[in-house]
Amino acid sequence: MSKKELKRVLISGGGTGGHIFPAVSIANAIKRRSPETEILFVGALGRMEMERVPAAGYRIEGLPVAGFDRKRLWRNFGVLWKLWKSLRKARRIVREFKPDVAIGVGGYASGPVLKQAQKQGVATLLQEQNSYAGVTNKLLAKKARAICVAYDGMERFFPAETIVKTGNPVRSDLQACSLTQAEAKKELGFDPDKKLVLVVGGSLGARTVNEAVAAALERIAGMGANLMWQTGRYGAPQFQALAKEYANVKATTFIDRMDLAYKAADVVVSRAGAGTISELQNLGKAVILIPSPNVAEDHQRHNAEALSTRDAAIMILDVDAVEKLPDTLANLIDDEAKCSTLSSNIKKMALPGADDKIVDKIYEIIS
């Protein structure tokens, strides 16, 4: 089958930026090769993909699907009703759109859509971002034609013959910054001769990360290092007011120019989402990871361990963060050799060009 015969592609998933950014990157890579290909996204109503995908220039349909409440099981009657309605709507979407291939990137919506695509004989490809596979992808794996992963050892979740190690697609603009590190620091308003710590807790913010950074402020200030702190929305007034007490700290709800921020940073403190880790791998940044405990299958801890066991990152568990981050961060800022080792080892784990590798696989499975 020639490239021009890839007429329609269905992409489903979302819920977080970690699912949405790879999905949009795959769509962009398809369009680069075959501009005439029609792409339709399917997401979950009320989730961030319903805004982010149209902003990226793609059409999206929403399903009323919701995740299961694993702690309060009695709440799942409504969830089952929404799942039934979502399966019906997904069946109609697949039947009417007639895709050549359906791609699942994880998240609530991908289950009903990929299940219906498989029932109707549509070739399916899964993209698993994490080192510990999600429930949805595990359920869909048996009938998937290909499963694109970012970590070794995924045979424990998926049929080995369908696994392709492509890495995770990342935002291309992050590597496009042409400034030097010193120039990037200056552009952001920091002294180019001083070390810069970048804290990213996600668009909503991570309270434990913010509390741990707050506990480290005095120590960082005493060392003469600078801090760029993305607090997120939750608790922003409290933490941003605290930051104003220190001349070397800039706190903001959201960082518009992440390319500049990453380029300028000497050390990064972050959650351990798969997308963020892939970005840090491609950029070769020394990082302290504080995995969120509030995610399915505790996958952020598994992601962080995949790096920390290779001396490619330092991991601090969420429960220990407030106590341990001040000393750990101060020691790392002061240790050029350790920063260099972390940077070198995380860079070795990078798998650049993941979006194009995934598109290669799409053409292979439909031909």
Side-chain angles (χ1 to χ4, degrees):
M1 179 177 283
S2 69
K3 293 178 183 177
K4 289 187 177 179
E5 289 177 301
L6 184 60
K7 296 177 181 177
R8 286 175 294 277
V9 176
L10 195 60
I11 303 178
S12 185
T16 67
H19 294 310
I20 298 165
F21 289 134
V24 171
S25 294
I26 294 167
N28 291 341
I30 292 169
K31 282 291 193 182
R32 283 198 299 272
R33 285 198 214 182
S34 180
E36 69 278 8
T37 299
E38 187 180 355
I39 298 175
L40 174 65
F41 281 77
V42 182
L45 290 170
R47 304 292 289 187
M48 63 176 4
E49 60 265 27
M50 300 307 295
E51 294 181 7
R52 297 285 179 87
V53 168
Y58 295 101
R59 185 162 64 95
I60 186 168
E61 295 232 20
L63 303 181
V65 67
F68 280 92
D69 192 325
R70 302 180 192 200
K71 295 180 181 178
R72 294 161 292 191
L73 296 177
W74 66 89
R75 294 193 173 187
N76 289 320
F77 291 109
V79 174
L80 290 169
W81 172 244
K82 289 179 179 179
L83 176 60
W84 181 78
K85 290 199 295 183
S86 296
L87 283 165
R88 287 192 64 186
K89 186 171 182 180
R91 183 168 67 239
R92 177 184 59 78
I93 290 170
V94 174
R95 186 175 64 244
E96 293 178 358
F97 186 63
K98 295 182 177 62
D100 299 306
V101 64
I103 301 165
V105 296
Y108 300 145
S110 64
V113 174
L114 272 287
K115 188 72 175 173
Q116 293 299 333
Q118 290 175 344
K119 278 188 174 183
Q120 295 182 39
V122 177
T124 57
L125 177 144
L126 306 178
Q127 202 264 319
E128 175 56 62
Q129 296 99 26
N130 296 292
S131 63
Y132 194 92
V135 172
T136 302
N137 278 349
K138 284 191 281 189
L139 291 172
L140 295 166
K142 189 175 180 181
K143 294 185 178 180
R145 296 283 296 279
I147 304 168
C148 298
V149 303
Y151 294 91
D152 292 324
M154 300 303 285
E155 296 84 1
R156 57 195 169 132
F157 305 113
F158 305 130
E161 65 275 10
T162 60
I163 294 173
V164 188
K165 191 177 178 185
T166 59
N168 288 323
V170 298
R171 294 172 285 182
S172 58
D173 63 306
L174 295 181
Q175 291 180 292
C177 183
S178 59
L179 300 180
T180 65
Q181 186 180 42
E183 289 169 341
K185 286 180 180 179
K186 199 169 181 181
E187 184 76 17
L188 293 169
F190 292 104
D191 185 337
D193 296 321
K194 292 184 177 180
K195 293 286 182 70
L196 177 64
V197 177
L198 170 65
V199 177
V200 283
S203 57
L204 295 179
R207 176 161 288 278
T208 305
V209 174
N210 284 338
E211 288 175 347
V213 171
L217 284 179
E218 196 167 335
R219 188 82 179 271
I220 296 169
M223 298 178 70
N226 291 319
L227 173 66
M228 187 171 189
W229 184 5
Q230 180 187 292
T231 63
R233 292 200 296 272
Y234 294 151
Q238 170 195 348
F239 295 112
Q240 290 176 21
L242 183 62
K244 288 179 182 176
E245 298 177 18
Y246 299 87
N248 64 324
V249 179
K250 291 185 178 181
T252 180
T253 305
F254 184 76
I255 297 173
D256 292 316
R257 291 290 306 275
M258 279 305 299
D259 58 333
L260 278 180
Y262 274 138
K263 175 69 81 169
D266 294 284
V267 174
V268 179
V269 178
S270 174
R271 283 302 201 193
T276 299
I277 285 179
S278 293
E279 291 171 355
L280 293 166
Q281 288 171 336
N282 278 278
L283 296 168
K285 288 295 174 180
V287 61
I288 297 172
L289 296 171
I290 305 174
S292 171
N294 306 312
V295 292
E297 288 84 45
D298 200 18
H299 68 245
Q300 286 206 7
R301 180 176 63 82
H302 292 288
N303 292 346
E305 285 176 343
L307 274 66
S308 63
T309 55
R310 292 170 173 82
D311 202 17
I314 295 171
M315 180 179 77
I316 301 176
L317 294 179
D318 190 86
V319 70
D320 300 322
V322 174
E323 177 190 351
K324 292 186 176 180
L325 183 66
D327 285 345
T328 304
L329 182 54
N331 292 338
L332 185 57
I333 291 169
D334 238 5
D335 192 338
E336 293 271 4
K338 182 64 172 177
C339 284
S340 179
T341 297
L342 292 174
S343 176
S344 174
N345 288 343
I346 198 171
K347 185 75 173 176
K348 289 173 186 174
M349 296 180 73
L351 293 166
D355 51 356
D356 283 315
K357 293 173 187 173
I358 291 168
V359 177
D360 287 340
K361 195 64 187 178
I362 291 169
Y363 281 114
E364 183 183 320
I365 68 174
I366 65 171
S367 59

